[in-house]
PDB file of all heavy atoms in Angstrom:
ATOM      1  N   SER A  48      29.504  25.733  -8.052  1.00  0.00           N
ATOM      2  CA  SER A  48      28.849  25.396  -9.294  1.00  0.00           C
ATOM      3  C   SER A  48      29.326  24.027  -9.765  1.00  0.00           C
ATOM      4  O   SER A  48      30.421  23.587  -9.413  1.00  0.00           O
ATOM      5  CB  SER A  48      29.170  26.454 -10.327  1.00  0.00           C
ATOM      6  OG  SER A  48      30.551  26.643 -10.372  1.00  0.00           O
ATOM      7  N   LEU A  49      28.512  23.389 -10.542  1.00  0.00           N
ATOM      8  CA  LEU A  49      28.870  22.051 -11.004  1.00  0.00           C
ATOM      9  C   LEU A  49      30.027  22.129 -11.991  1.00  0.00           C
ATOM     10  O   LEU A  49      30.157  23.086 -12.742  1.00  0.00           O
ATOM     11  CB  LEU A  49      27.664  21.407 -11.677  1.00  0.00           C
ATOM     12  CG  LEU A  49      26.580  20.964 -10.701  1.00  0.00           C
ATOM     13  CD1 LEU A  49      25.420  20.386 -11.478  1.00  0.00           C
ATOM     14  CD2 LEU A  49      27.138  19.941  -9.745  1.00  0.00           C
ATOM     15  N   LEU A  50      30.856  21.100 -11.944  1.00  0.00           N
ATOM     16  CA  LEU A  50      32.042  21.090 -12.777  1.00  0.00           C
ATOM     17  C   LEU A  50      32.042  19.806 -13.582  1.00  0.00           C
ATOM     18  O   LEU A  50      31.947  18.719 -13.020  1.00  0.00           O
ATOM     19  CB  LEU A  50      33.255  21.104 -11.862  1.00  0.00           C
ATOM     20  CG  LEU A  50      34.363  22.034 -12.291  1.00  0.00           C
ATOM     21  CD1 LEU A  50      34.401  23.189 -11.336  1.00  0.00           C
ATOM     22  CD2 LEU A  50      35.667  21.316 -12.261  1.00  0.00           C
ATOM     23  N   SER A  51      32.123  19.912 -14.871  1.00  0.00           N
ATOM     24  CA  SER A  51      32.231  18.664 -15.626  1.00  0.00           C
ATOM     25  C   SER A  51      33.685  18.220 -15.604  1.00  0.00           C
ATOM     26  O   SER A  51      34.590  19.029 -15.388  1.00  0.00           O
ATOM     27  CB  SER A  51      31.770  18.884 -17.058  1.00  0.00           C
ATOM     28  OG  SER A  51      32.843  19.327 -17.833  1.00  0.00           O
ATOM     29  N   SER A  52      33.905  16.925 -15.834  1.00  0.00           N
ATOM     30  CA  SER A  52      35.243  16.404 -15.660  1.00  0.00           C
ATOM     31  C   SER A  52      36.182  16.951 -16.731  1.00  0.00           C
ATOM     32  O   SER A  52      37.392  16.981 -16.544  1.00  0.00           O
ATOM     33  CB  SER A  52      35.214  14.882 -15.736  1.00  0.00           C
ATOM     34  OG  SER A  52      34.690  14.503 -16.976  1.00  0.00           O
ATOM     35  N   LYS A  53      35.644  17.413 -17.847  1.00  0.00           N
ATOM     36  CA  LYS A  53      36.532  17.915 -18.898  1.00  0.00           C
ATOM     37  C   LYS A  53      36.958  19.348 -18.608  1.00  0.00           C
ATOM     38  O   LYS A  53      38.000  19.800 -19.049  1.00  0.00           O
ATOM     39  CB  LYS A  53      35.812  17.872 -20.247  1.00  0.00           C
ATOM     40  CG  LYS A  53      35.896  16.518 -20.892  1.00  0.00           C
ATOM     41  CD  LYS A  53      35.228  16.550 -22.258  1.00  0.00           C
ATOM     42  CE  LYS A  53      35.048  15.146 -22.773  1.00  0.00           C
ATOM     43  NZ  LYS A  53      34.036  15.089 -23.806  1.00  0.00           N
ATOM     44  N   ASP A  54      36.104  20.053 -17.867  1.00  0.00           N
ATOM     45  CA  ASP A  54      36.380  21.461 -17.585  1.00  0.00           C
ATOM     46  C   ASP A  54      37.403  21.534 -16.465  1.00  0.00           C
ATOM     47  O   ASP A  54      37.116  21.217 -15.333  1.00  0.00           O
ATOM     48  CB  ASP A  54      35.076  22.125 -17.147  1.00  0.00           C
ATOM     49  CG  ASP A  54      35.305  23.586 -16.838  1.00  0.00           C
ATOM     50  OD1 ASP A  54      36.339  24.090 -17.296  1.00  0.00           O
ATOM     51  OD2 ASP A  54      34.479  24.175 -16.163  1.00  0.00           O
ATOM     52  N   ARG A  55      38.632  21.908 -16.809  1.00  0.00           N
ATOM     53  CA  ARG A  55      39.663  21.915 -15.783  1.00  0.00           C
ATOM     54  C   ARG A  55      40.022  23.342 -15.391  1.00  0.00           C
ATOM     55  O   ARG A  55      41.121  23.629 -14.981  1.00  0.00           O
ATOM     56  CB  ARG A  55      40.913  21.200 -16.297  1.00  0.00           C
ATOM     57  CG  ARG A  55      40.669  19.751 -16.632  1.00  0.00           C
ATOM     58  CD  ARG A  55      41.396  18.827 -15.691  1.00  0.00           C
ATOM     59  NE  ARG A  55      42.813  19.025 -15.778  1.00  0.00           N
ATOM     60  CZ  ARG A  55      43.610  19.175 -14.744  1.00  0.00           C
ATOM     61  NH1 ARG A  55      43.127  19.217 -13.545  1.00  0.00           N
ATOM     62  NH2 ARG A  55      44.902  19.314 -14.907  1.00  0.00           N
ATOM     63  N   SER A  56      39.073  24.255 -15.536  1.00  0.00           N
ATOM     64  CA  SER A  56      39.399  25.628 -15.187  1.00  0.00           C
ATOM     65  C   SER A  56      39.452  25.773 -13.673  1.00  0.00           C
ATOM     66  O   SER A  56      38.967  24.951 -12.937  1.00  0.00           O
ATOM     67  CB  SER A  56      38.373  26.581 -15.786  1.00  0.00           C
ATOM     68  OG  SER A  56      37.138  26.355 -15.155  1.00  0.00           O
ATOM     69  N   ILE A  57      40.114  26.829 -13.263  1.00  0.00           N
ATOM     70  CA  ILE A  57      40.383  27.017 -11.845  1.00  0.00           C
ATOM     71  C   ILE A  57      39.407  28.057 -11.304  1.00  0.00           C
ATOM     72  O   ILE A  57      39.260  29.126 -11.883  1.00  0.00           O
ATOM     73  CB  ILE A  57      41.829  27.532 -11.663  1.00  0.00           C
ATOM     74  CG1 ILE A  57      42.805  26.461 -12.129  1.00  0.00           C
ATOM     75  CG2 ILE A  57      42.091  27.937 -10.229  1.00  0.00           C
ATOM     76  CD1 ILE A  57      44.184  26.990 -12.355  1.00  0.00           C
ATOM     77  N   GLU A  58      38.778  27.731 -10.220  1.00  0.00           N
ATOM     78  CA  GLU A  58      37.898  28.709  -9.583  1.00  0.00           C
ATOM     79  C   GLU A  58      38.761  29.582  -8.685  1.00  0.00           C
ATOM     80  O   GLU A  58      39.481  29.104  -7.811  1.00  0.00           O
ATOM     81  CB  GLU A  58      36.847  27.986  -8.752  1.00  0.00           C
ATOM     82  CG  GLU A  58      35.935  28.966  -8.077  1.00  0.00           C
ATOM     83  CD  GLU A  58      34.526  28.434  -7.981  1.00  0.00           C
ATOM     84  OE1 GLU A  58      34.328  27.253  -8.262  1.00  0.00           O
ATOM     85  OE2 GLU A  58      33.645  29.219  -7.626  1.00  0.00           O
ATOM     86  N   VAL A  59      38.707  30.877  -8.933  1.00  0.00           N
ATOM     87  CA  VAL A  59      39.601  31.790  -8.218  1.00  0.00           C
ATOM     88  C   VAL A  59      38.962  32.184  -6.898  1.00  0.00           C
ATOM     89  O   VAL A  59      37.792  32.546  -6.846  1.00  0.00           O
ATOM     90  CB  VAL A  59      39.882  33.037  -9.079  1.00  0.00           C
ATOM     91  CG1 VAL A  59      40.716  34.028  -8.325  1.00  0.00           C
ATOM     92  CG2 VAL A  59      40.558  32.622 -10.365  1.00  0.00           C
ATOM     93  N   SER A  60      39.739  32.096  -5.847  1.00  0.00           N
ATOM     94  CA  SER A  60      39.262  32.592  -4.558  1.00  0.00           C
ATOM     95  C   SER A  60      40.056  33.845  -4.243  1.00  0.00           C
ATOM     96  O   SER A  60      41.042  34.143  -4.892  1.00  0.00           O
ATOM     97  CB  SER A  60      39.485  31.529  -3.479  1.00  0.00           C
ATOM     98  OG  SER A  60      40.834  31.159  -3.467  1.00  0.00           O
TER      99      SER A  60
END
Side-chain angles (χ1 to χ4, degrees):
Chain A
S48 51
L49 287 178
L50 224 108
S51 87
S52 59
K53 276 183 192 160
D54 180 18
R55 298 248 298 132
S56 67
I57 296 164
E58 180 146 10
V59 176
S60 55

